[in-house]
Amino acid sequence: MKSSKIATKILSFISLLLMGVMLKSCQADNLIYNNQDDLFSPKFVLAAPLVKSNSIALVWYKINDAESYTVELHTDNYYKSLYKSYTVTDTQVFMDDIPYKTQFYIRVRANHADAAHNSQWAYTSALTEPRPPFAEILNKVEKINITENSVKVSWKIDAQNPVDSISVEPAINKDIPAIGRYLTAEEKLTGEATLTGLEKNTLYNLNVFDNNKPRRYDKPYNQVSFRTAGPSAETIIVTADMDLDALLRKNNSDPAIPEGTEYFLEAGSLFKVTPFEILKGFKLTGGTQGEKPQIELNGAWNIAQGSVISSISFENIRFYQTIDASYFFNSGNSWTVGEISIYNCVFNYFKRGFWRHQGSGKYKEIGSFEMSYTTLDQVGGHSGPYGTFVCGSAGADNIKSAVFSNCTFMRDYYGTTDKNRNFKNLFDYGTSAYPIHLEYQNITIYDYAYNRSLINIPAAVGSTLIFKNVLLASACGKVIQAIAANTTTTYGNNYTTTDYLLGASAIQGTELGISAQDLFVNPTQGNLMIKDANSPIVTNRVGDTRWLP
């Protein structure tokens, strides 16, 4: 027993010696961690910030030895999009007159006299309330009023809602200067103004203002967007005998080829392309002097990991697939795209889905997605279909605006009689909490999404849904599967045929009382022209207007 105690004491002594040597070594290498000098992370007094209108109040407990506190307001949960930063000496901050209906991600840090000992960040978030009702007097900008460097705009003259100034701001490229000025007396009288000095082929956001209002975000009326005319950074003419696939692949990785290059495809041509990971934006435009150019895709487009792209555009092209489990776009990477535009295109034989995001936590951001005068026909038919738009990045999808106008979605169980092999939705935003502006106007839906819900926005609090002038001639399920709190919904001038079994009340619509077979000329063969020129679909201009006589 005695020898055992002696052995224990010897081992303890050796341990102390070793610790002393290690400590000395650390001191020599200046690796001592002075724990007492570092500030603790701030702790919030309330479980969530206080929100009133477009203001946020935040309170935290005092930290001894903190000289000040830094509060950062970001618009993304990766804290890479700083909106505003505050430095305060008190333990509270009032962030006043900030954008309405915006999800802000907030972090707070205590600052030490020696910045090396600043605290860790404390994190929280808040959603400002929707803007109170205001007059939407600004008119949509017509293409005829747009040139390469100017735009003519108009607004409704209303004595109760005066306008005294106007501005345009680039929607994507913040290096391009914004342009704004006060209106002349004549412009105020006529409700029209022209702005010059714009950059060609640039997407702008347009606002008119009443500067007599005291608060910044109450001054503007409704905002509209437009793109100035002019060619892309470079235009390449692609004739029918050229290898479009090889050309696109080569230029995708060639630093000498500028972002936004336009490929002008000869009318009536046919190309075969195996899609790849896109590194920079481009535009595929089909000639109009003949049949749409056709592109057979053997696979789905993707965007390379970490890419930041201004715009991707497809215009006047028929795309189709020849493989089974096919999509037009399918990505599991993280990336940012300012603008995606699809105009006057036809998509056939995409059997598993059209546009799919995947990859848990892989952040994807789209500033503006626009699809117009476009048809999806004879799609679906796969045994495991996804849908038209599926955002499945486990909450990491941030689509700020998605607008669909004058589009037709039809016949989505291609090559089979099993209607359950159809596309599952029009738009499924998954678990994303980023607010989205989602708009469907002048849409025709026939024999599509059988027994499936069309719209799903379950978690994106404070979103906007506009569903107007829609003709629903299909045995779909619920129009809305789920919609998040504080989402603004607008319905108007919607109609259903007897094919939609749930009735028109869910979309505040009107039941026509006739079937798709009676309404359209020959729907089973893909002809959705309206038979009766006196139908309310014609007189009220409902659905895809290309089908109106």
Side-chain angles (χ1 to χ4, degrees):
M1 179 68 72
K2 186 176 181 180
S3 60
S4 174
K5 287 182 179 179
I6 292 171
T8 302
K9 288 180 180 179
I10 291 171
L11 286 170
S12 298
F13 182 69
I14 291 172
S15 298
L16 285 170
L17 268 179
L18 287 171
M19 286 180 66
V21 171
M22 290 167 62
L23 257 157
K24 187 175 181 181
S25 173
C26 289
Q27 287 171 335
D29 294 335
N30 295 317
L31 295 178
I32 287 291
Y33 182 76
N34 294 320
N35 190 45
Q36 69 277 10
D37 290 334
D38 291 307
L39 301 180
F40 291 102
S41 174
K43 183 178 180 182
F44 300 115
V45 173
L46 301 175
L50 294 174
V51 176
K52 185 174 183 181
S53 188
N54 63 331
S55 300
I56 299 174
L58 189 64
V59 185
W60 56 91
Y61 292 102
K62 181 180 179 181
I63 296 180
N64 293 332
D65 298 327
E67 286 207 337
S68 65
Y69 302 89
T70 297
V71 182
E72 290 186 352
L73 208 57
H74 290 259
T75 55
D76 76 301
N77 62 354
Y78 292 88
Y79 296 90
K80 296 184 181 297
S81 302
L82 179 66
Y83 170 74
K84 196 169 184 180
S85 179
Y86 303 80
T87 299
V88 296
T89 55
D90 204 351
T91 57
Q92 58 187 359
V93 65
F94 182 58
M95 296 168 279
D96 189 31
D97 199 10
I98 57 180
Y100 286 101
K101 201 177 183 180
T102 301
Q103 180 73 48
F104 286 105
Y105 297 88
I106 307 166
R107 60 183 185 180
V108 182
R109 183 189 67 202
N111 300 320
H112 194 276
D114 180 353
H117 301 298
N118 290 347
S119 80
Q120 298 294 312
W121 292 102
Y123 298 91
T124 187
S125 63
L127 173 68
T128 50
E129 295 175 355
R131 183 177 175 181
F134 64 97
E136 299 190 8
I137 63 174
L138 187 57
N139 296 323
K140 180 180 178 181
V141 180
E142 301 295 336
K143 283 191 175 182
I144 195 172
N145 293 324
I146 302 171
T147 71
E148 289 188 4
N149 56 21
S150 69
V151 61
K152 182 179 180 181
V153 304
S154 66
W155 58 91
K156 302 179 185 70
I157 298 175
D158 181 353
Q160 302 301 315
N161 296 285
V163 175
D164 60 13
S165 59
I166 185 171
S167 78
V168 291
E169 183 177 324
I172 300 168
N173 188 351
K174 301 305 180 183
D175 293 331
I176 296 175
I179 296 176
R181 62 174 175 81
Y182 280 95
L183 298 171
T184 66
E186 183 181 356
E187 288 170 335
K188 293 178 184 179
L189 187 64
T190 60
E192 292 183 346
T194 298
L195 281 175
T196 59
L198 310 183
E199 296 290 330
K200 66 182 181 182
N201 192 38
T202 299
L203 183 68
Y204 283 98
N205 292 328
L206 166 70
N207 279 109
V208 291
F209 304 84
D210 174 13
N211 281 290
N212 290 315
K213 294 185 173 69
R215 294 174 65 79
R216 175 183 178 184
Y217 290 98
D218 290 333
K219 297 177 188 291
Y221 294 93
N222 57 301
Q223 184 181 92
V224 299
S225 299
F226 69 94
R227 178 176 286 278
T228 47
S232 302
E234 182 175 316
T235 299
I236 298 174
I237 307 298
V238 184
T239 57
D241 59 339
M242 294 175 66
D243 187 342
L244 177 62
D245 181 82
L247 180 63
L248 291 174
R249 287 175 175 275
K250 174 181 176 295
N251 290 352
N252 185 54
S253 57
D254 186 347
I257 302 300
E259 170 97 12
T261 294
E262 178 178 8
Y263 300 86
F264 188 88
L265 312 182
E266 187 178 44
S269 54
L270 171 64
F271 304 97
K272 294 187 178 183
V273 173
T274 299
F276 46 82
E277 286 195 338
I278 299 168
L279 293 169
K280 57 189 170 186
F282 62 89
K283 181 177 183 180
L284 293 180
T285 303
T288 58
Q289 303 300 311
E291 294 295 322
K292 281 183 174 68
Q294 300 185 71
I295 298 180
E296 177 187 324
L297 296 178
N298 181 23
W301 294 107
N302 191 2
I303 295 174
Q305 173 69 30
S307 295
V308 178
I309 293 173
S310 292
S311 66
I312 302 171
S313 180
F314 306 97
E315 181 173 322
N316 197 47
I317 300 170
R318 177 189 177 234
F319 293 95
Y320 65 93
Q321 283 271 25
T322 56
I323 59 177
D324 183 43
S326 54
Y327 309 83
F328 179 70
F329 182 89
N330 183 17
S331 179
N333 295 331
S334 296
W335 40 260
T336 297
V337 179
E339 178 188 16
I340 295 173
S341 174
I342 299 173
Y343 172 76
N344 197 31
C345 289
V346 175
F347 296 92
N348 302 129
Y349 319 146
F350 292 87
K351 298 189 69 177
R352 198 165 192 213
F354 178 73
W355 194 282
R356 183 189 177 198
H357 293 177
Q358 57 173 311
S360 180
K362 293 288 188 176
Y363 180 75
K364 301 170 184 64
E365 179 179 311
I366 299 175
S368 169
F369 189 106
E370 293 189 4
M371 177 185 283
S372 60
Y373 295 94
T374 290
T375 300
L376 269 69
D377 182 23
Q378 292 186 305
V379 292
H382 192 270
S383 58
Y386 277 87
T388 316
F389 279 81
V390 179
C391 297
S393 306
D397 299 294
N398 184 2
I399 302 178
K400 300 180 184 299
S401 174
V403 176
F404 302 84
S405 62
N406 283 289
C407 292
T408 296
F409 301 96
M410 59 190 286
R411 302 192 296 178
D412 67 345
Y413 46 100
Y414 174 67
T416 175
T417 58
D418 184 358
K419 291 187 175 185
N420 291 304
R421 291 192 173 196
N422 58 20
F423 277 4
K424 294 182 178 180
N425 54 64
L426 282 181
F427 204 99
D428 185 352
Y429 203 35
T431 58
S432 176
Y434 293 99
I436 181 174
H437 174 96
L438 181 59
E439 183 173 333
Y440 286 89
Q441 292 219 49
N442 287 102
I443 305 297
T444 295
I445 303 169
Y446 164 71
D447 205 12
Y448 197 91
Y450 172 76
N451 204 29
R452 308 280 196 179
S453 298
L454 297 181
I455 308 294
N456 187 35
I457 318 175
V461 175
S463 294
T464 299
L465 173 64
I466 297 174
F467 202 79
K468 298 175 67 175
N469 306 314
V470 176
L471 173 56
L472 187 49
S474 183
C476 305
K478 293 180 179 179
V479 172
I480 309 298
Q481 179 176 332
I483 195 160
N486 296 329
T487 294
T488 303
T489 57
T490 303
Y491 301 98
N493 204 32
N494 299 315
Y495 284 80
T496 63
T497 65
T498 54
D499 306 85
Y500 185 59
L501 304 178
L502 300 182
S505 61
I507 52 174
Q508 301 175 21
T510 302
E511 296 179 14
L512 290 168
I514 60 174
S515 68
Q517 290 294 328
D518 293 331
L519 179 64
F520 303 124
V521 170
N522 191 353
T524 56
Q525 295 301 311
N527 186 347
L528 304 189
M529 291 293 294
I530 305 299
K531 287 181 182 179
D532 182 4
N534 296 315
S535 168
I537 301 303
V538 178
T539 56
N540 294 325
R541 298 190 65 78
V542 179
D544 187 340
T545 56
R546 295 176 295 171
W547 297 113
L548 301 182

